[in-house]
Structure formats: structure tokens, C-alpha cells
Amino acid sequence: YQRRVHGGGERYNLFTGCPSAKTCTIILRGGAEQFIEEAERSLHDSIMIVRRCLQHQHVVAGGGAIEMVLSKELREHARNIRGKQQIILNEYAKALEVVPRQLADNAGFDSTDILNKLRYMHHKKDEDGHNYGVDIHTGGVCDTYAAYVWEPKDVKRNALSAATEAACLILSVDETVRNPKSESPGDNTPIGGRGRGTGGRGMAGMMAGRQGVRRLK
């Protein structure tokens, strides 16, 4: 079927009901260019995640569930370590909880209450709570794997690896080089100095001392 539609100042011909079609077109409309660009980025990310799921059919529970599982396992493993590495593991586990906390904040819910519920579900003795994540529809927690809130395993693995490498790179910086003199508020010296060697008179003072050159007053 073919029909014509008008969108703003443009006219489009839409072909629908094509069972043998291999491609489709998505038309984005918005009140401002920045809204359209943001919608395009969000749509592109969603399509790429679905594409990755089809290529690598291994998924984990979303909504911050996998982060809570890793946080729990790291905290339990840290109890078996006596040295300073225990502090590092505990801080890493605490950093993983930022993901469900931020999801709750973005949805407009009480992140502290949701995190407490997630910790309770993930620390139960049985295995029923390890898939629980943030439920943005009710403001509570739910089994995100049963609710079809999935994330590709490779995407999550690459994200954790990149974040860990970035943190290690920042921690490896042990010295900062700076010039305190250039940061003083009273130093308004232009680049190039004050005309050293010319007596402070610039080009005229330099040329006045040469033979056959008069300085004009």
C-alpha cells in the first residue's frame, strides 16, 4: 500500500504491507534539532544492542541486576583478604552499585530505598533474587530477566573492562606538572616577554642604536 503524508515542509511516500521487504525507514520529528539528534542517538544505541544480541545470543539480566550480583560476590570475596586489597575490592563493589542507583534516580524514585531492597533480594539464601533489578514502572524491584530486560553479555563485559582500565589509568598518575607563576593573578605579562635586550623600547629602541638610523620622536 502507498500513501502520502506531510511532515513539516516535507512530503513522504509511505509503502506499507510489504511482506518481502528487507529494510525499513524511520522518520524522526521534533521541535528542535537537538531533540532530533538525541532521539537519533538513542534509537541507534537500541538498534545496535538488538543487533549485538542477535549476533551473540548470551544475555544477562538488566536493570542493574548483574551489577548487584558482582557487588555481592566482591564483598564476600573481600572478607577472605587481609591486606589493603580488601579496601580496593570493597570500593569496586560500591562503585558497581552506582548503576542501579542512577537508574532509580533517572526514573524519579528513591534510590536509597530501591538499593536496600536489591541488597535484601540478592543476599537471600536461595537463588531467586539474583536476577532482581530496578523496576522503573512501579518504583520497586522485579525479576528483570523474567521481565525481558536483558543486556548482551559482551556489551556488559566490555563496559566493565573499559571502566576498570580508565580507573587504573587515573590512579597511575602520581605527579602533576604545573607552573605556579603563570597561575598568579597579577602576572599579565604578554607572551614573548617585555622586550629584553631592547631597553624596554621595543623595535624603535633596538634600531636607534644602529648607524644611519634615526629614531623619530
Side-chain angles (χ1 to χ4, degrees):
Y1 302 99
Q2 178 183 0
R3 61 188 180 94
R4 292 182 178 180
V5 296
H6 293 271
E10 302 291 337
R11 184 179 64 182
Y12 303 97
N13 295 326
L14 301 183
F15 297 90
T16 60
C18 304
S20 301
K22 300 295 183 180
T23 60
C24 66
T25 302
I26 300 177
I27 301 176
L28 300 177
R29 297 180 59 187
E33 189 68 24
Q34 58 182 359
F35 297 147
I36 298 178
E37 292 177 356
E38 183 64 28
E40 182 182 1
R41 285 193 293 267
S42 300
L43 185 62
H44 179 268
D45 293 342
S46 302
I47 294 175
M48 289 299 103
I49 289 177
V50 174
R51 177 174 176 267
R52 183 64 63 89
C53 286
L54 294 177
Q55 291 178 346
H56 307 279
Q57 300 180 3
H58 297 279
V59 296
V60 294
I66 186 63
E67 284 81 7
M68 294 301 299
V69 172
L70 294 175
S71 177
K72 172 194 171 184
E73 295 296 332
L74 286 175
R75 291 182 191 275
E76 293 180 352
H77 179 66
R79 297 174 183 174
N80 300 323
I81 299 177
R82 297 182 179 180
K84 296 181 179 179
Q85 290 81 3
Q86 180 181 141
I87 301 176
I88 299 175
L89 289 178
N90 285 326
E91 292 299 322
Y92 197 106
K94 182 180 179 181
L96 288 173
E97 293 183 351
V98 173
V99 175
R101 179 185 296 274
Q102 193 64 43
L103 289 175
D105 289 336
N106 293 344
F109 300 119
D110 188 358
S111 58
T112 303
D113 183 52
I114 291 179
L115 273 180
N116 290 335
K117 293 179 181 178
L118 287 177
R119 293 192 188 103
Y120 170 76
M121 295 301 299
H122 283 267
H123 284 79
K124 293 176 65 176
K125 298 297 183 179
D126 52 11
E127 296 292 332
D128 295 337
H130 69 282
N131 285 331
Y132 270 70
V134 180
D135 187 358
I136 63 174
H137 298 291
T138 62
V141 298
C142 69
D143 190 339
T144 54
Y145 192 87
Y148 302 103
V149 181
W150 302 337
E151 294 187 55
K153 183 184 70 174
D154 291 341
V155 172
K156 186 60 63 177
R157 178 187 296 173
N158 293 336
L160 291 175
S161 177
T164 305
E165 291 179 2
C168 292
L169 180 62
I170 294 174
L171 293 175
S172 64
V173 178
D174 57 352
E175 184 177 359
T176 303
V177 179
R178 66 187 184 93
N179 185 6
K181 184 178 180 181
S182 63
E183 298 176 0
S184 59
D187 188 8
N188 298 321
T189 305
I191 298 178
R194 295 186 175 89
R196 186 179 358 177
T198 63
R201 295 174 295 176
M203 183 61 70
M206 181 179 65
M207 299 298 295
R210 294 191 176 184
Q211 185 178 3
V213 178
R214 288 188 307 169
R215 182 182 178 187
L216 299 178
K217 296 184 180 180

